[in-house]
Amino acid sequence: DTEVTQTPKHLVMGMTNKKSLKCEQHMGHRAMYWYKQKAKKPPELMFVYSYEKLSINESVPSRFSPECPNSSLLNLHLHALQPEDSALYLCASSPVDREVTEAFFGQGTRLTVV
Amino acid sequence: DAKTTQPPSMDCAEGRAANLPCNHSTISGNEYVYWYRQIHSQGPQYIIHGLKNNETNEMASLIITEDRKSSTLILPHATLRDTAVYYCIVKGGGTSYGKLTFGQGTILTVHP
């Protein structure tokens, strides 16, 4: 199984809603990532988790709250988002015990904030 | 991680080889060249990586110049399904992270 599964695929939420994005992998990877991709732009890193601990936060606003409850699961909790937060949110995973490695990406959640 | 420069777009006829260039003139000795691609509305997909030798896998070939300041990704027989944005990324080894800095990439359009 070399898949990273993200749910839901699409999400529409109001600015006062609270919602969560979910990401799951069963490849035994101990590093997981959230990226944000605006239309016609490249993906931008948001968060990195290593061994279930947050290791990098790229100065992301607090309305985005990541969580890694176990080694297979990564969540992104959303609260009080703005319309400009509408984007494709990508999850990725990779091993941490190799010199050179590749990242495996999910298909993303397309988020629309209204 | 070193900065990369890629042409914004390229065209290729179906069945022909697609050669995608990338400049990385500030690459340092322990940095690898990675290529990913992103088909419309999907997540990025790893293609290949290399340090200084040419590399080939089932998807593509990677040619790195002797001075390592540039590289070329070759898709030997492009198909319509290869239409995508191709990202060249230079990244140090030893971190084993998927902490990738994506540039603007090259939009490759494969025509029938």
Side-chain angles (χ1 to χ4, degrees):
Chain A
D1 182 3
T2 58
E3 277 196 2
V4 175
T5 304
Q6 291 188 242
T7 53
K9 288 189 170 29
H10 300 274
L11 178 63
V12 178
M13 62 183 290
M15 289 188 284
T16 58
N17 291 159
K18 286 185 181 180
K19 295 286 185 184
S20 297
L21 310 184
K22 179 180 169 182
C23 173
E24 199 162 3
Q25 56 88 15
H26 296 286
M27 294 176 277
H29 293 167
R30 302 304 295 275
M32 296 185 76
Y33 316 82
W34 282 113
Y35 284 81
K36 174 181 177 177
Q37 185 174 25
K38 300 281 283 183
K40 299 191 187 303
K41 297 290 186 183
E44 293 181 340
L45 184 70
M46 300 173 73
F47 302 104
V48 178
Y49 271 82
S50 179
Y51 294 100
E52 295 88 70
K53 298 240 183 304
L54 182 65
S55 61
I56 296 176
N57 175 342
E58 294 283 2
S59 302
V60 179
S62 60
R63 57 186 184 269
F64 295 91
S65 175
E67 177 197 21
C68 190
N70 60 56
S71 60
S72 299
L73 198 54
L74 185 67
N75 298 320
L76 186 63
H77 303 298
L78 314 172
H79 172 55
L81 294 194
Q82 303 297 310
E84 58 265 29
D85 296 320
S86 298
L88 181 68
Y89 288 84
L90 294 160
C91 173
S93 72
S94 74
V96 294
D97 55 353
R98 300 180 193 172
E99 167 71 9
V100 180
T101 187
E102 66 189 83
F104 293 79
F105 283 82
Q107 297 302 288
T109 293
R110 189 160 298 281
L111 174 68
T112 303
V113 182
V114 297
Chain B
D1 299 333
K3 184 177 163 57
T4 62
T5 304
Q6 299 177 250
S9 64
M10 295 184 66
D11 289 334
C12 178
E14 189 177 20
R16 304 297 294 269
N19 298 288
L20 291 90
C22 179
N23 285 322
H24 32 78
S25 58
T26 61
I27 192 170
S28 59
N30 67 343
E31 289 183 316
Y32 292 76
V33 180
Y34 284 81
W35 284 83
Y36 282 77
R37 74 179 182 184
Q38 188 173 22
I39 295 170
H40 181 63
S41 294
Q42 296 184 22
Q45 176 191 24
Y46 165 83
I47 301 172
I48 199 167
H49 72 272
L51 183 62
K52 54 184 177 182
N53 298 321
N54 298 338
E55 302 287 345
T56 295
N57 63 21
E58 64 278 3
M59 288 183 69
S61 295
L62 175 59
I63 308 297
I64 302 174
T65 58
E66 194 167 339
D67 64 8
R68 303 207 326 123
K69 293 185 177 182
S70 65
S71 60
T72 301
L73 178 75
I74 301 172
L75 307 178
H77 305 288
T79 71
L80 299 179
R81 289 180 293 180
D82 292 322
T83 293
V85 182
Y86 287 78
Y87 296 103
C88 169
I89 299 169
V90 170
K91 181 168 173 56
T95 60
S96 298
Y97 280 144
K99 181 177 177 289
L100 302 171
T101 302
F102 290 86
Q104 295 302 309
T106 296
I107 300 171
L108 175 68
T109 304
V110 181
H111 298 284

